[in-house]
Amino acid sequence: MNDKKADDEAMIAKYKADAAARRQLSKTKLVAMAPLAVQPKDGVITVRFGEGAKPLSALGGVVKVLGQSRIKIPEMKVRRS
């Protein structure tokens, strides 16, 4: 029984180490892909917009810019009176 417990503990430790390595690799990729205007510093991301940037409301709203959403939440039914 002790051998099985030791094997399980070794597998768990390996899984945790691999998960930490995957997270670190993912963070590295995100930083490399981020545009120069996005600068991560101490876990905080600062986004700087260009001079000609407009808010979504000025462009016609979220639906106009991003399109219709197909997300449906059953608990949030439209109530009509």
Side-chain angles (χ1 to χ4, degrees):
M1 240 8 212
N2 290 337
D3 291 339
K4 178 158 176 36
K5 190 172 184 179
D7 289 343
D8 288 347
E9 288 177 1
M11 285 180 15
I12 291 170
K14 182 180 180 322
Y15 175 80
K16 287 182 179 181
D18 290 347
R22 284 191 303 271
R23 280 193 302 275
Q24 187 61 36
L25 181 63
S26 177
K27 286 180 185 178
T28 306
K29 284 182 182 177
L30 284 177
V31 170
M33 290 174 26
L36 294 177
V38 178
Q39 302 168 356
K41 180 180 179 185
D42 298 327
V44 176
I45 295 176
T46 304
V47 179
R48 291 187 171 74
F49 296 100
E51 291 181 23
K54 295 181 181 178
L56 285 177
S57 58
L59 298 172
V62 175
V63 174
K64 184 82 172 184
V65 175
L66 302 176
Q68 282 285 356
S69 173
R70 294 180 183 233
I71 297 172
K72 294 184 181 179
I73 303 171
E75 295 83 17
M76 303 289 288
K77 294 182 180 177
V78 177
R79 297 184 184 188
R80 298 185 180 150
S81 13

